[in-house]
Amino acid sequence: MPDDTRAPGQAHTPGEARSGTALRYHVAGMDCPSCAGKVETALSRLPGTAAVRINFQTQILAFELDEAATPRGDVEARIRALGYGMAPVEAPRVVAEGATPEPEAAPSPWLSRLWPSQLWADRKLRLAALLGALLAAGFAVEHLAPALGALPWWPAAALGLWVFGRKAIALARSGSPFSIEMLMSIATLGALAIGAASEAAMVVFLFTIGEVLEGVAAGRARSGIAALGALVPRQALKLEAGVARPVPAATLRPGDTILVRPGDRIAADGVLLSGESEVDESPITGESIPVARAAGDAVRAGSVNGGGVLEVRVERAAEDNTIARIIRLVEQAQEAKAPTARFIERFAAWYTPAAAGVALLVAVLPPLLAGGAWDTWLYRALALLLVACPCALVLSTPAAIASGLAAGTRRGLLVKGGAALETIGRVRAIAFDKTGTLTEGRPRVTDTLPLVGPERPLLGIAASAESGFSHPLGRAIQARAAEEGMPLRPVREARALPGRGVEAVVSGKAVVVSAPFHAATLAPLPEPAAAAVARWEAEGKTVVVVTVEGTHTGLIAIRDEPRADAAAGIAALRALGLRPVMLTGDNPRTGAAIAATLGIAVQAGLLPEEKQRAIAALEAPSAMVGDGINDAPALAAASVGIAMGGGTDVALETADAALLHDRVLDVAALVGLSRATLANIRQNVAIALGLKAVFLVTTVAGLTGLWPAVLADTGATVLVTLNALRLLRHRFAA
């Protein structure tokens, strides 16, 4: 959606500063893209409005307003005049467990069981009930007093015409003259004029039922976000001076400590201070197997504690925890229109006026040119007006996109908008970073070869020399020494040797931990050591030589191992017909070894700008999968960038999509979801246009009349919506 949808004459000039207040409203009753378009058009015509963003799925309207040009109350009055309710929204809409997601009265229990939305509080349902009662009364009176003719049907028709005619006039004044309300009102008024009052009454009743069904479907589609928000518990046990007391979870702030009992949901993003447990993160990441968490590990709000008692230091406030950020990203993604949706909206913009023009020709040409009966052709023209309604067509793409985004979120696949979701399914080549993407990103010691003395002292000396540095290879050596129970020795005069290693004085002895090429300048490598270096490097391992007082005392091999599902993930992509390739800055030997293990082509030794050029050379459209930190140029160069980051800030806020659970198989799952969404869109468009084509012919031929035309439009809208909702049950192959 454009950032600025102001009417001609109100657009900002280049360089003009926007000084408006940022506002967010919940717009009740906005259940389809057509509704959203009407609100957008009406709002953009008011002076002082800018940056209009509207999301019919979440019913959120966001815009900037210069209240000196248009008071806030005038904006609210304009939208309410169109028949929509408005309520200000403050901060992210995270729904507490057990809370009601919409600001409307609760429905009766039996209605709650029947429908996901709070329909009884909806005036559309009340109007439908009243119209139904009037129709029933009209039917009874017509049969009891046939002399009254069509008069018993007039109350229902007149009520519908009064309700929808007023809205049609308000929409026309707001810049939407060819609304479905206008088409329906003209058809109803025309039917009354030619004496078809019973059909006029049926038209307004069926139209109202269609509006109710749209509300049901929209409520079902948006329930996913409400359910996600409900994952965060309303209360938490805050620890103060050793005492745990319940407090609202929304009041927690970074630095607070909370107690999480077995079976409780974790109330905030944080770090474990004490305790061990298995934590169920499936509501957030989609991973069904609980993961072990101990002191120092990060935990997420909404996940469920297993059997241990945990103390958690809060790292994020409620409005910025993982759940809240996911909700914001999903809402923003739904606001971003897909290319197909933008095309269909442009198509609908001229389709409806053109269809209205055709209806006018149908009304006048046959009587004027062929002597047809005016009543007959006027009736057919009125029915044709109803066939012209573009609701189902306009809904076809955003409904599928919204369901696809929701299905992906449940799996831990976040996609930032319909454009990215569409593109992912069309990619032909996928490039992967190596470290942290295809591999775990945590190098580990795989082999040691002592040249002087046993293994344990070798590890202890190397770990001590590396203890003052944070290089991944050094951390791997320190971790292995800790596993072996080797204490660190006193160190002084430690310094890094850029590109070569480190040196330090350990327990009074000069120690160098360095790459083989540098170690060879200190002393020749023995033949067994040189052979081991060659063998290990051929296996994709990084080798360091430990030298003490000028004598080589041993070798240590380190490798960042492939992820457990990396080979299966690459195979799944090949099965989908995609060409995967690994782009890495690591040395060619290491890159080739990892690539051979995974069965993927490789380009190694690449600098960031060379990765970017390699992406540009791939068959378009292409995707890049990286860790979201050091792959920014390549991610930007690809048609779609996918970040693997386990829910970190970078993974959630960079690239076009993020995999919350670090699984290579999820890339194939994302491609499959995108393709299913594209197929759903094609089906929806076929349903919408196909039904319209059929009823266009039958209406002109006189085989169908007014109420079948309305029923066809309502039926198409319902079918399109139900077909889109099938994506919520999408079965991921991996």
Side-chain angles (χ1 to χ4, degrees), residues 134 137-139 141-142 145-158 192 195-198 201:
L134 291 175
F139 179 81
V141 171
E142 183 184 48
L148 294 176
L151 189 61
W153 300 102
W154 270 77
L192 290 173
S198 61

Side-chain angles (χ1 to χ4, degrees), residues 285-287 408 411-414 424 430 432 565 568-570 572-573 576 625 642-644 658-673 732-734:
T285 66
E287 176 56 51
R411 167 81 178 209
L413 314 176
L414 286 185
I424 290 168
I430 294 189
F432 288 86
D565 71 328
I570 296 301
L573 289 171
L576 292 172
V625 186
I642 303 171
M644 295 183 70
L659 311 180
L660 291 188
H661 197 76
D662 292 341
R663 299 196 305 185
V664 180
L665 276 167
D666 279 348
V667 180
L670 188 57
V671 173
L673 174 64
F732 293 92

Side-chain angles (χ1 to χ4, degrees), residues 547-581:
T547 307
V548 180
E549 294 291 335
T551 300
H552 301 314
T553 61
L555 309 178
I556 300 175
I558 303 163
R559 189 167 85 159
D560 184 11
E561 294 296 304
R563 294 184 183 275
D565 71 328
I570 296 301
L573 289 171
R574 288 191 183 281
L576 292 172
L578 302 179
R579 184 169 69 88
V581 59

Side-chain angles (χ1 to χ4, degrees), residues 192-422:
L192 290 173
I194 62 175
S198 61
E199 295 195 71
M202 186 63 72
V203 163
V204 295
F205 176 68
L206 290 176
F207 179 78
T208 306
I209 292 295
E211 295 267 283
V212 171
L213 291 177
E214 282 187 11
V216 172
R220 171 75 181 276
R222 70 173 63 98
S223 63
I225 289 184
L228 187 62
L231 291 176
V232 180
R234 284 177 292 176
Q235 287 194 324
L237 292 175
K238 184 177 178 180
L239 280 171
E240 292 179 317
V243 177
R245 61 183 183 88
V247 299
T251 65
L252 295 175
R253 290 293 177 263
D256 291 345
T257 301
I258 59 175
L259 181 71
V260 185
R261 300 166 300 189
D264 284 354
R265 285 193 185 273
I266 298 173
D269 286 5
V271 174
L272 283 185
L273 296 177
S274 66
E276 294 183 2
S277 182
E278 288 193 336
V279 177
D280 178 9
E281 297 183 346
S282 59
I284 303 158
T285 66
E287 176 56 51
S288 59
I289 300 175
V291 293
R293 292 288 183 256
D297 290 339
V299 292
R300 299 186 181 101
S303 51
V304 181
N305 181 24
V309 177
L310 307 178
E311 290 187 16
V312 178
R313 183 181 68 243
V314 176
E315 296 290 313
R316 293 183 182 276
E319 63 271 15
D320 197 36
N321 64 33
T322 299
I323 297 293
R325 286 182 289 147
I326 290 174
I327 290 174
R328 283 199 298 271
L329 286 169
V330 173
E331 290 184 348
Q332 291 166 6
Q334 291 176 341
E335 289 173 6
K337 294 180 183 177
T340 303
R342 289 195 295 267
F343 170 77
I344 287 178
E345 286 188 2
R346 290 195 299 269
F347 173 78
W350 66 262
Y351 162 80
T352 304
V358 170
L360 178 61
L361 295 177
V362 167
V364 299
L365 290 184
L368 291 177
L369 301 181
W374 282 98
D375 284 0
T376 299
W377 286 101
L378 179 59
Y379 179 85
R380 295 179 184 180
L382 294 174
L384 196 61
L385 275 180
L386 299 178
V387 176
C389 172
C391 284
L393 182 61
V394 174
L395 185 63
S396 60
T397 297
I401 291 293
S403 294
L405 292 172
T409 300
R410 293 179 182 178
R411 167 81 178 209
L413 314 176
L414 286 185
V415 185
K416 296 186 178 180
L421 187 60
E422 283 192 17

Side-chain angles (χ1 to χ4, degrees), residues 716-728:
T717 300
V718 172
L719 287 175
V720 163
T721 303
L722 292 177
N723 189 51
L725 290 176
R726 288 192 309 112
L727 284 172
L728 295 175

